[in-house]
Each structure stands twice: as C-alpha cells, then as structure tokens.
Amino acid sequence: MNITFLIGNGFDKNLGLKTTYADFIKYYQTTDAKSKVLENFRKYIKDNEELWCDAEIALGQFTKEFEKGDGKSFTKCHQDFCEKLVQYLQKEESRLSFNLFKEKILSAFKNITDIDKSFPTQERNSIRTIFNNYRNEPYIFNFICFNYTSTLDKCLEIVKDSKGLLGQHRYNTTICNHLIENYCHVHGTVEKEIVFAVHDETQIAKPDIFDFKYGNICKNFLIKQQANASYQEDTDNKANSILQNSTIIYIYGMSLGQTDTLWWNRICIWLNKSEYHHLIIHNYDMPSKGVYQANYQIAERMKKDELLSFSNYDDNIKEKIIKRIHVTNNNIFSEISNVADKKDLTIQQVVEKIDNITQDKKKAI
C-alpha cells in the first residue's frame, strides 16, 4: 500500500526556520538593487507588502506595472527575486545541525505509521480499515515536497541510513516492512531548477508584456507546469504518478493556495476514483476542541469544502467524497519542532557552518 505525503512550508516552519514569504520579503528589502528596474521592484513590494505574503500571486499581479512587450524588464525582477530567495533559504537552512537531533528525527518519522491515532473512534476505524485491507503488503511511504529546501531530504536520509525502516507489521507468518520509497521536489530546489510561478495564465494580470521575441520562454517560467516542463526532467509526471498510485494521501504544512490548483484538482479526481482512497489534511490553524466542538467541526467542514471547491463535481459526488476526507490539527512532526538555532547567523557563521558540515562529510567518507 502506498501512503503519500505532500509536504509544504509548514514542515520548515515547524523545524523553527523563518521561511515564510513575509520573512523573506524583509530580507529582500535589505539586498542591493543593481538597476533602476530592480529598485522600482523593491519599492513596489514595499508599497504593497501585504500582497507579497502570497508572493506567487503577487508576482503575477506585478506584470500590470509593465507595458506591452516589456517582459524583459519583468524577467529581470523575477530572476532577481528567485536568486535572492535561494540565498535566503540556504542561510536559514544552515541554522540546522541535523546530527544533533538525529534521534528526534527517527522518532518523529516512526509516527507517520500511526496517522489515524488523533481522530475520534469512528473516523479512526474508517482509516484503519484501509490499512487492514492491505496487511498482506508492505506499507510504502512516498513524499512529494513543495519546498525548495533540502530539510525533508536530509531527514529522510537519516531515516534510511538507520536500517531504512519506519516499522513493520505481521501478516500470518509474513513480516511486512514499512519503507520509504519515492520522494521528489515538484518546484525544484535551492540547488537547481527552481519553479517560482503561478498556476496558469489567468493569474498573470498582463500577459501581453511577453509579446516580444522569445517572450514565450519567459512567460513559461511564470507558469508552474510549463516551467517544470521546460527543465525536461519529467518532474510533474513523476510526482503525479506517485500521487495517482496512492491509497492514502496526507497533506502536511500546506495551505490550499490558488497557485497549486493543479494538485488540488488532481487530488479531487483521485478521491473520486476509488472508495478506498482517503485523504488526511493537517490544518494547524484549528480552534480548540474543548467541551463544545461546534467551532472545531465548522472549521473541519470548511477545510473539506475548500478542497472540493477545486473540483467540478456536483453536490451528490462531493457528499460521497467528503466522508473520506479527514482534517486534523495533530502535529505528527511535533518531536522535531523548533530544533533550529534560535538566533540568526551572520554570513561568516553560515560559511563556517557549511565548511564544518563539508569536513564532517569528508571524514565520514
């Protein structure tokens, strides 16, 4: 049985990293602008700072500041933003010393075999039934990462280096292992092939700025699926194949944002394909259950409705699907919360830390 996790920025935030766009914008405003176009870009962001909490949508709207055919100037801004974002994320990631909390990582990832434990009895039994239906098979865990950082990769490497097992269960006389198999980055990494873009052309306020020779190439890098395709690594198809072959999908650390409409629509279609398909959504921003749970259950239903709004299904199909969508505020990665260095590092400290990590790797070899 395949259980697939969609991992978003909430994973890095849980580690204690300052990786929201609001965090990055503060840093970006302190960087040098090497041209008048880039100076104006920084001023536009400062004047519209609230919009840039959702920076991908804001970037699409920023196109309206340019004249028809002036996409080259926009592309300079797009490139500068991506390059500075990579620098910032590398700086943040350097605050983590993974070997210092290795045991916590191992313990946290073993928890993902019990993803049903936070739900009330009837809902828990519904999810557990799926596991029981596949008890004659190994449980395969896959990860589709929407982050540019390598924090998830490094955690998974530690787990795989430690016997490579998340656990195991017995079926009659057979021992079935719980294994990590596939993981991929759908939007690239800080190392290469970053995809920072909108969902489709409808989210580009003024697409005619790309009416110039080779402008279609620049526009492609502003649309996620086209940007992925331009790198010719078949990333989107690989990730979608993992998704479609899943029995359970768990969304962790992600808002159901408009720029990832493609994925929410795919999940809705996947849910409707089989009565055995279940979706779990981690929603950290939930009211307390307490003794009176009306507000909690309203928030739970709102999150389910939000997901289904990305489908074209009628109410009858939605009501059938919604029973297999589960919402929780239980943090399965709580054991690795706030493990990052608490203070910001200087550039020199970052360089020294990276050098130390490199030396440790050489010694290990």
Side-chain angles (χ1 to χ4, degrees), residues 96-297:
L96 291 166
S97 300
F98 289 89
N99 286 331
L100 296 181
F101 58 99
K102 181 177 178 180
E103 294 306 316
K104 288 185 177 182
I105 292 172
L106 294 173
S107 179
F109 275 82
K110 284 182 180 178
N111 289 337
I112 68 175
T113 60
D114 293 319
I115 53 179
D116 60 313
K117 68 179 181 181
S118 67
F119 294 100
T121 302
Q122 289 181 327
E123 200 168 5
R124 184 170 65 248
N125 288 343
S126 174
I127 300 169
R128 185 48 50 181
T129 296
I130 303 302
F131 279 90
N132 290 337
N133 286 344
Y134 292 89
R135 284 192 68 80
N136 62 327
E137 301 179 9
Y139 294 160
I140 305 299
F141 291 86
N142 307 297
F143 294 83
I144 299 174
C145 187
F146 288 71
N147 299 333
Y148 305 121
T149 61
S150 61
T151 54
L152 175 64
D153 309 54
K154 290 174 182 175
C155 288
L156 293 178
E157 284 168 10
I158 286 173
V159 175
K160 293 181 84 170
D161 286 345
S162 178
K163 299 182 181 179
L165 294 179
L166 294 169
Q168 53 188 203
H169 66 270
R170 180 184 292 275
Y171 178 76
N172 294 330
T173 59
T174 303
I175 300 296
C176 299
N177 292 325
H178 306 161
L179 303 166
I180 295 170
E181 188 162 295
N182 299 301
Y183 64 95
C184 66
H185 287 263
V186 293
H187 294 155
T189 69
V190 293
E191 302 296 331
K192 63 174 184 175
E193 298 167 0
I194 187 171
V195 174
F196 179 78
V198 298
H199 168 62
D200 59 23
E201 192 167 319
T202 64
Q203 295 177 348
I204 301 175
K206 202 167 185 292
D208 67 7
I209 70 169
F210 298 106
D211 290 351
F212 64 94
K213 190 175 183 180
Y214 307 128
N216 62 311
I217 295 176
C218 296
K219 185 167 72 171
N220 282 346
F221 277 91
L222 189 55
I223 300 173
K224 285 184 176 177
Q225 204 166 10
Q226 282 90 315
N228 257 327
S230 70
Y231 289 123
Q232 300 183 52
E233 294 292 342
D234 205 29
T235 303
D236 183 70
N237 286 333
K238 290 174 183 175
N240 190 36
S241 178
I242 294 171
L243 190 85
Q244 298 305 326
N245 289 316
S246 304
T247 303
I248 294 175
I249 293 175
Y250 195 117
I251 300 173
Y252 179 88
M254 297 185 71
S255 60
L256 303 180
Q258 294 291 325
T259 57
D260 287 316
T261 293
L262 174 70
W263 291 95
W264 314 139
N265 180 254
R266 284 173 171 174
I267 288 175
C268 290
I269 294 171
W270 167 84
L271 273 167
N272 195 40
K273 278 184 177 179
S274 171
E275 61 182 312
Y276 298 107
H277 288 174
H278 281 248
L279 172 70
I280 300 173
I281 303 174
H282 172 249
N283 183 17
Y284 78 96
D285 192 21
M286 294 278 282
S288 172
K289 282 189 175 181
V291 295
Y292 180 74
Q293 295 188 17
N295 290 333
Y296 184 91
Q297 291 188 18

